[in-house]
Amino acid sequence: MCLASVPPPPNRITRRGVLAGAAVLAGSAAALSAAGPAAAARPAGRERATAPAGDLVIEGGTLLDPATGEVTEDAVVVIRSGKVRSAGPRGKQDVPAGVPRLDAHGRWVLPGLVDAHIHLSTVAEAREALTKGATSARSGSTTFYQDIAVRELARRLPDRAPRLRAAGIFVTPDLGDSVLADPELAALAGLRDGVRSAPALRRVVEVNLARGADVVKTRVNERAGLPGQDPLAQVYSFEQLAEVVAAARRGGKSVLCHGYSEKGCHDAVRAGIRSLEHGVFVGERTLHEMRRRKTYFTPTLAAIAGLAESADPVLAERGRTYLPVLRQAVRAAHELGVPLAAGTDSSGGEITPIGREVELMRAAGLPALDALRTATTGAARLLGLTGTAGRLAPGYAGDAVVVSGDPLEDMSLLSRPLHVVRAGRLG
Ligand SMILES: [Zn+2]
């Protein structure tokens, strides 16, 4: 298919028109990739034509189900049209002929991992997150709605990006360059106090929802990653956060909230957020409230550990001070039964493998299987992907990682996947 067969753009450029044009183009791109080098795992010759994209058999590996902890040696996973048809011991299922095979003898096979907090702003970042093991992800916001475009890229070309829940732009007092992300936001640039009033907060959430955001990202505290900011300074009150949550809920969406101070975390949780991000100084009373409300905790241990290695002395000191406190909070949360989700908080071209966060969850004191669940079944539930991500069972997405040994024995293997399969395609 060549571009000449793509219809010209509509006379009047509407958002719907643009999306329709993109769909036509993506169809041609998918056709190109199906016939091109992305089909490397396909059998040669006549069979090639009978193996559409998204068909794959992973055979001979040791299959680990994070939901049950069950381990199956010499397993066969059959993926057809991007979804798991069957998964289990060899000999107990129909293995179709003419479908590409991935030999996993001597390897371990797991469902693709979920990164519940990542900032994907470029095609390269999206691809790198995938090749490092994240087959599904939730955005922690991007400056110009790039995450919404990444989500569409992932839908049309699954081997290019993780399946993504997009957050749009950050609901924060100072929108910075994001006032340029949509013409509807320009008026907010002139507000003397920034985005703080109820109408301003509602406006940002509503523009996000109109742009197709799946979740809303806000904050209660300043940032830890900037030396000039005080991460314990509170930027939004309980009432302001409740306004954000209410606006998101009117659109059927949930809120993830960046927070550090105990008071800030407590206000955010009471305001009805779905997940608390970072949460270094979250206290016991808030953790009890989180358990009661089933609020998730996404500690982003990898990001805080990264601060400790910063060249900036203020950030390095902050990281060294915060990390043991956060580890203790993670342990306390797990003991109380607060649901935990793994998120790397990767951004700006530096993509941390999601397996590294799982490793840090284990190091914080979680049993190995529970640590793995924070990036599989647990995170899938947070993203509304139960039945799609987190397991390799019939009907689930054909997303898998193949690692060189038992990840429950050595969690660092998760950071170095040998193969990543996304919707039955080798990523
Ligand atoms: Zn973030």
mmCIF file of all heavy atoms in Angstrom, residues 32-45 48 51-56 99-103 127 159 419 424-427:
data_model
loop_
_atom_site.group_PDB
_atom_site.id
_atom_site.type_symbol
_atom_site.label_atom_id
_atom_site.label_comp_id
_atom_site.label_asym_id
_atom_site.label_seq_id
_atom_site.Cartn_x
_atom_site.Cartn_y
_atom_site.Cartn_z
ATOM 1 N N LEU A 32 2.240 -2.356 6.069
ATOM 2 C CA LEU A 32 3.667 -2.334 5.738
ATOM 3 C C LEU A 32 4.458 -3.191 6.709
ATOM 4 O O LEU A 32 5.297 -3.984 6.327
ATOM 5 C CB LEU A 32 4.186 -0.888 5.797
ATOM 6 C CG LEU A 32 3.832 0.005 4.610
ATOM 7 C CD1 LEU A 32 4.207 1.447 4.921
ATOM 8 C CD2 LEU A 32 4.548 -0.465 3.357
ATOM 9 N N SER A 33 4.142 -3.020 8.037
ATOM 10 C CA SER A 33 4.955 -3.734 9.015
ATOM 11 C C SER A 33 4.691 -5.235 8.949
ATOM 12 O O SER A 33 5.572 -6.027 9.180
ATOM 13 C CB SER A 33 4.703 -3.192 10.420
ATOM 14 O OG SER A 33 3.593 -3.809 10.994
ATOM 15 N N ALA A 34 3.443 -5.609 8.595
ATOM 16 C CA ALA A 34 3.144 -7.041 8.524
ATOM 17 C C ALA A 34 3.953 -7.708 7.417
ATOM 18 O O ALA A 34 4.288 -8.882 7.502
ATOM 19 C CB ALA A 34 1.656 -7.251 8.263
ATOM 20 N N ALA A 35 4.270 -6.957 6.387
ATOM 21 C CA ALA A 35 5.012 -7.549 5.282
ATOM 22 C C ALA A 35 6.514 -7.297 5.409
ATOM 23 O O ALA A 35 7.296 -7.793 4.628
ATOM 24 C CB ALA A 35 4.524 -6.937 3.969
ATOM 25 N N GLY A 36 6.888 -6.518 6.407
ATOM 26 C CA GLY A 36 8.268 -6.072 6.484
ATOM 27 C C GLY A 36 9.087 -6.796 7.528
ATOM 28 O O GLY A 36 8.757 -7.899 7.937
ATOM 29 N N PRO A 37 10.177 -6.170 7.969
ATOM 30 C CA PRO A 37 11.109 -6.836 8.847
ATOM 31 C C PRO A 37 10.524 -7.190 10.219
ATOM 32 O O PRO A 37 11.035 -8.061 10.883
ATOM 33 C CB PRO A 37 12.242 -5.817 9.005
ATOM 34 C CG PRO A 37 11.831 -4.571 8.304
ATOM 35 C CD PRO A 37 10.569 -4.824 7.580
ATOM 36 N N ALA A 38 9.392 -6.524 10.621
ATOM 37 C CA ALA A 38 8.806 -6.853 11.920
ATOM 38 C C ALA A 38 8.321 -8.286 11.955
ATOM 39 O O ALA A 38 8.035 -8.832 13.001
ATOM 40 C CB ALA A 38 7.645 -5.914 12.229
ATOM 41 N N ALA A 39 8.202 -8.909 10.792
ATOM 42 C CA ALA A 39 7.723 -10.277 10.722
ATOM 43 C C ALA A 39 8.865 -11.283 10.858
ATOM 44 O O ALA A 39 8.748 -12.416 10.424
ATOM 45 C CB ALA A 39 6.987 -10.487 9.400
ATOM 46 N N ALA A 40 9.954 -10.877 11.517
ATOM 47 C CA ALA A 40 11.157 -11.702 11.569
ATOM 48 C C ALA A 40 10.911 -13.089 12.164
ATOM 49 O O ALA A 40 11.553 -14.050 11.776
ATOM 50 C CB ALA A 40 12.233 -10.986 12.383
ATOM 51 N N ALA A 41 9.961 -13.156 13.123
ATOM 52 C CA ALA A 41 9.764 -14.444 13.782
ATOM 53 C C ALA A 41 8.885 -15.372 12.955
ATOM 54 O O ALA A 41 8.640 -16.489 13.356
ATOM 55 C CB ALA A 41 9.132 -14.236 15.148
ATOM 56 N N ARG A 42 8.394 -14.910 11.844
ATOM 57 C CA ARG A 42 7.480 -15.725 11.061
ATOM 58 C C ARG A 42 8.202 -16.797 10.258
ATOM 59 O O ARG A 42 9.336 -16.593 9.840
ATOM 60 C CB ARG A 42 6.688 -14.846 10.102
ATOM 61 C CG ARG A 42 5.664 -14.105 10.872
ATOM 62 C CD ARG A 42 4.696 -13.401 9.990
ATOM 63 N NE ARG A 42 4.073 -12.473 10.900
ATOM 64 C CZ ARG A 42 4.230 -11.172 10.834
ATOM 65 N NH1 ARG A 42 4.902 -10.640 9.856
ATOM 66 N NH2 ARG A 42 3.698 -10.409 11.731
ATOM 67 N N PRO A 43 7.516 -17.916 10.024
ATOM 68 C CA PRO A 43 8.146 -18.948 9.212
ATOM 69 C C PRO A 43 8.297 -18.488 7.767
ATOM 70 O O PRO A 43 7.564 -17.623 7.304
ATOM 71 C CB PRO A 43 7.154 -20.109 9.313
ATOM 72 C CG PRO A 43 5.850 -19.497 9.688
ATOM 73 C CD PRO A 43 6.168 -18.263 10.456
ATOM 74 N N ALA A 44 9.238 -19.079 7.095
ATOM 75 C CA ALA A 44 9.507 -18.686 5.715
ATOM 76 C C ALA A 44 8.529 -19.371 4.761
ATOM 77 O O ALA A 44 7.794 -20.268 5.126
ATOM 78 C CB ALA A 44 10.937 -19.066 5.357
ATOM 79 N N GLY A 45 8.560 -18.933 3.516
ATOM 80 C CA GLY A 45 7.825 -19.614 2.455
ATOM 81 C C GLY A 45 6.334 -19.406 2.527
ATOM 82 O O GLY A 45 5.867 -18.376 2.953
ATOM 83 N N ARG A 48 4.262 -18.176 5.567
ATOM 84 C CA ARG A 48 4.341 -16.768 5.959
ATOM 85 C C ARG A 48 3.006 -16.044 5.745
ATOM 86 O O ARG A 48 2.578 -15.280 6.590
ATOM 87 C CB ARG A 48 5.446 -16.110 5.141
ATOM 88 C CG ARG A 48 5.673 -14.666 5.469
ATOM 89 C CD ARG A 48 6.894 -14.201 4.692
ATOM 90 N NE ARG A 48 7.072 -12.785 4.847
ATOM 91 C CZ ARG A 48 8.233 -12.198 4.977
ATOM 92 N NH1 ARG A 48 9.329 -12.915 4.983
ATOM 93 N NH2 ARG A 48 8.321 -10.901 5.095
ATOM 94 N N ALA A 51 0.315 -16.636 8.540
ATOM 95 C CA ALA A 51 0.583 -16.257 9.928
ATOM 96 C C ALA A 51 0.431 -14.750 10.098
ATOM 97 O O ALA A 51 1.380 -14.003 9.960
ATOM 98 C CB ALA A 51 1.985 -16.703 10.326
ATOM 99 N N PRO A 52 -0.784 -14.294 10.370
ATOM 100 C CA PRO A 52 -0.977 -12.851 10.530
ATOM 101 C C PRO A 52 -0.267 -12.328 11.772
ATOM 102 O O PRO A 52 0.039 -13.089 12.683
ATOM 103 C CB PRO A 52 -2.490 -12.721 10.656
ATOM 104 C CG PRO A 52 -2.973 -14.051 11.105
ATOM 105 C CD PRO A 52 -2.009 -15.066 10.583
ATOM 106 N N ALA A 53 -0.022 -11.018 11.788
ATOM 107 C CA ALA A 53 0.621 -10.403 12.942
ATOM 108 C C ALA A 53 -0.186 -10.719 14.190
ATOM 109 O O ALA A 53 -1.410 -10.679 14.173
ATOM 110 C CB ALA A 53 0.717 -8.906 12.728
ATOM 111 N N GLY A 54 0.536 -11.041 15.259
ATOM 112 C CA GLY A 54 -0.163 -11.317 16.508
ATOM 113 C C GLY A 54 -0.342 -12.791 16.795
ATOM 114 O O GLY A 54 -0.966 -13.152 17.785
ATOM 115 N N ASP A 55 0.213 -13.654 15.922
ATOM 116 C CA ASP A 55 0.178 -15.092 16.184
ATOM 117 C C ASP A 55 1.574 -15.542 16.600
ATOM 118 O O ASP A 55 2.562 -15.254 15.908
ATOM 119 C CB ASP A 55 -0.213 -15.871 14.917
ATOM 120 C CG ASP A 55 -1.700 -15.770 14.616
ATOM 121 O OD1 ASP A 55 -2.406 -15.068 15.361
ATOM 122 O OD2 ASP A 55 -2.136 -16.390 13.637
ATOM 123 N N LEU A 56 1.652 -16.243 17.708
ATOM 124 C CA LEU A 56 2.952 -16.702 18.190
ATOM 125 C C LEU A 56 2.743 -17.869 19.151
ATOM 126 O O LEU A 56 1.778 -17.880 19.922
ATOM 127 C CB LEU A 56 3.671 -15.555 18.931
ATOM 128 C CG LEU A 56 5.117 -15.793 19.368
ATOM 129 C CD1 LEU A 56 6.048 -15.893 18.155
ATOM 130 C CD2 LEU A 56 5.595 -14.671 20.295
ATOM 131 N N VAL A 99 2.391 -21.344 12.609
ATOM 132 C CA VAL A 99 2.466 -20.141 13.448
ATOM 133 C C VAL A 99 3.918 -19.991 13.920
ATOM 134 O O VAL A 99 4.561 -20.983 14.252
ATOM 135 C CB VAL A 99 1.489 -20.267 14.637
ATOM 136 C CG1 VAL A 99 1.749 -19.190 15.681
ATOM 137 C CG2 VAL A 99 0.051 -20.188 14.147
ATOM 138 N N PRO A 100 4.444 -18.781 13.928
ATOM 139 C CA PRO A 100 5.831 -18.588 14.380
ATOM 140 C C PRO A 100 6.044 -19.125 15.790
ATOM 141 O O PRO A 100 5.145 -19.051 16.630
ATOM 142 C CB PRO A 100 6.009 -17.058 14.351
ATOM 143 C CG PRO A 100 4.903 -16.532 13.528
ATOM 144 C CD PRO A 100 3.794 -17.511 13.574
ATOM 145 N N ARG A 101 7.237 -19.644 16.040
ATOM 146 C CA ARG A 101 7.568 -20.219 17.352
ATOM 147 C C ARG A 101 8.666 -19.404 18.009
ATOM 148 O O ARG A 101 9.596 -18.963 17.335
ATOM 149 C CB ARG A 101 8.087 -21.659 17.199
ATOM 150 C CG ARG A 101 7.214 -22.581 16.365
ATOM 151 C CD ARG A 101 5.990 -22.960 17.165
ATOM 152 N NE ARG A 101 5.064 -23.729 16.341
ATOM 153 C CZ ARG A 101 4.711 -24.991 16.601
ATOM 154 N NH1 ARG A 101 5.226 -25.623 17.622
ATOM 155 N NH2 ARG A 101 3.828 -25.608 15.841
ATOM 156 N N LEU A 102 8.529 -19.263 19.291
ATOM 157 C CA LEU A 102 9.619 -18.680 20.077
ATOM 158 C C LEU A 102 10.078 -19.770 21.040
ATOM 159 O O LEU A 102 9.320 -20.202 21.901
ATOM 160 C CB LEU A 102 9.128 -17.440 20.847
ATOM 161 C CG LEU A 102 10.153 -16.746 21.746
ATOM 162 C CD1 LEU A 102 11.349 -16.246 20.922
ATOM 163 C CD2 LEU A 102 9.515 -15.577 22.483
ATOM 164 N N ASP A 103 11.308 -20.225 20.845
ATOM 165 C CA ASP A 103 11.846 -21.301 21.672
ATOM 166 C C ASP A 103 12.277 -20.732 23.016
ATOM 167 O O ASP A 103 13.158 -19.879 23.081
ATOM 168 C CB ASP A 103 13.041 -21.928 20.942
ATOM 169 C CG ASP A 103 13.632 -23.096 21.717
ATOM 170 O OD1 ASP A 103 13.132 -23.399 22.818
ATOM 171 O OD2 ASP A 103 14.607 -23.697 21.226
ATOM 172 N N ARG A 127 9.177 3.033 22.928
ATOM 173 C CA ARG A 127 9.784 1.790 22.435
ATOM 174 C C ARG A 127 10.740 1.204 23.483
ATOM 175 O O ARG A 127 10.778 0.001 23.716
ATOM 176 C CB ARG A 127 10.536 2.111 21.140
ATOM 177 C CG ARG A 127 11.337 0.997 20.587
ATOM 178 C CD ARG A 127 10.571 0.259 19.533
ATOM 179 N NE ARG A 127 11.406 -0.749 18.941
ATOM 180 C CZ ARG A 127 10.941 -1.897 18.510
ATOM 181 N NH1 ARG A 127 9.676 -2.157 18.580
ATOM 182 N NH2 ARG A 127 11.745 -2.779 17.978
ATOM 183 N N ASP A 159 3.853 -3.346 18.706
ATOM 184 C CA ASP A 159 5.269 -3.641 18.977
ATOM 185 C C ASP A 159 6.111 -2.375 19.108
ATOM 186 O O ASP A 159 7.325 -2.436 19.217
ATOM 187 C CB ASP A 159 5.854 -4.570 17.903
ATOM 188 C CG ASP A 159 5.668 -4.034 16.503
ATOM 189 O OD1 ASP A 159 4.890 -3.077 16.338
ATOM 190 O OD2 ASP A 159 6.303 -4.573 15.576
ATOM 191 N N HIS A 419 13.437 -11.560 25.767
ATOM 192 C CA HIS A 419 12.435 -11.259 24.737
ATOM 193 C C HIS A 419 11.265 -10.549 25.404
ATOM 194 O O HIS A 419 10.922 -10.871 26.539
ATOM 195 C CB HIS A 419 11.888 -12.531 24.078
ATOM 196 C CG HIS A 419 12.932 -13.389 23.466
ATOM 197 N ND1 HIS A 419 13.532 -13.088 22.264
ATOM 198 C CD2 HIS A 419 13.502 -14.549 23.902
ATOM 199 C CE1 HIS A 419 14.415 -14.018 21.976
ATOM 200 N NE2 HIS A 419 14.426 -14.914 22.935
ATOM 201 N N GLY A 424 1.378 -10.646 20.882
ATOM 202 C CA GLY A 424 1.826 -11.716 19.988
ATOM 203 C C GLY A 424 2.923 -11.325 19.027
ATOM 204 O O GLY A 424 3.290 -12.087 18.135
ATOM 205 N N ARG A 425 3.469 -10.133 19.193
ATOM 206 C CA ARG A 425 4.562 -9.680 18.320
ATOM 207 C C ARG A 425 5.814 -9.520 19.160
ATOM 208 O O ARG A 425 5.733 -9.037 20.306
ATOM 209 C CB ARG A 425 4.240 -8.316 17.686
ATOM 210 C CG ARG A 425 3.026 -8.325 16.791
ATOM 211 C CD ARG A 425 2.341 -6.971 16.900
ATOM 212 N NE ARG A 425 1.252 -6.807 15.964
ATOM 213 C CZ ARG A 425 -0.029 -7.088 16.233
ATOM 214 N NH1 ARG A 425 -0.379 -7.579 17.399
ATOM 215 N NH2 ARG A 425 -0.973 -6.869 15.334
ATOM 216 N N LEU A 426 6.940 -9.849 18.614
ATOM 217 C CA LEU A 426 8.200 -9.641 19.331
ATOM 218 C C LEU A 426 8.515 -8.152 19.356
ATOM 219 O O LEU A 426 8.606 -7.518 18.312
ATOM 220 C CB LEU A 426 9.332 -10.416 18.665
ATOM 221 C CG LEU A 426 9.362 -11.914 18.990
ATOM 222 C CD1 LEU A 426 10.338 -12.634 18.088
ATOM 223 C CD2 LEU A 426 9.712 -12.153 20.453
ATOM 224 N N GLY A 427 8.612 -7.578 20.571
ATOM 225 C CA GLY A 427 8.824 -6.143 20.711
ATOM 226 C C GLY A 427 10.271 -5.738 20.442
ATOM 227 O O GLY A 427 11.148 -6.553 20.292
#
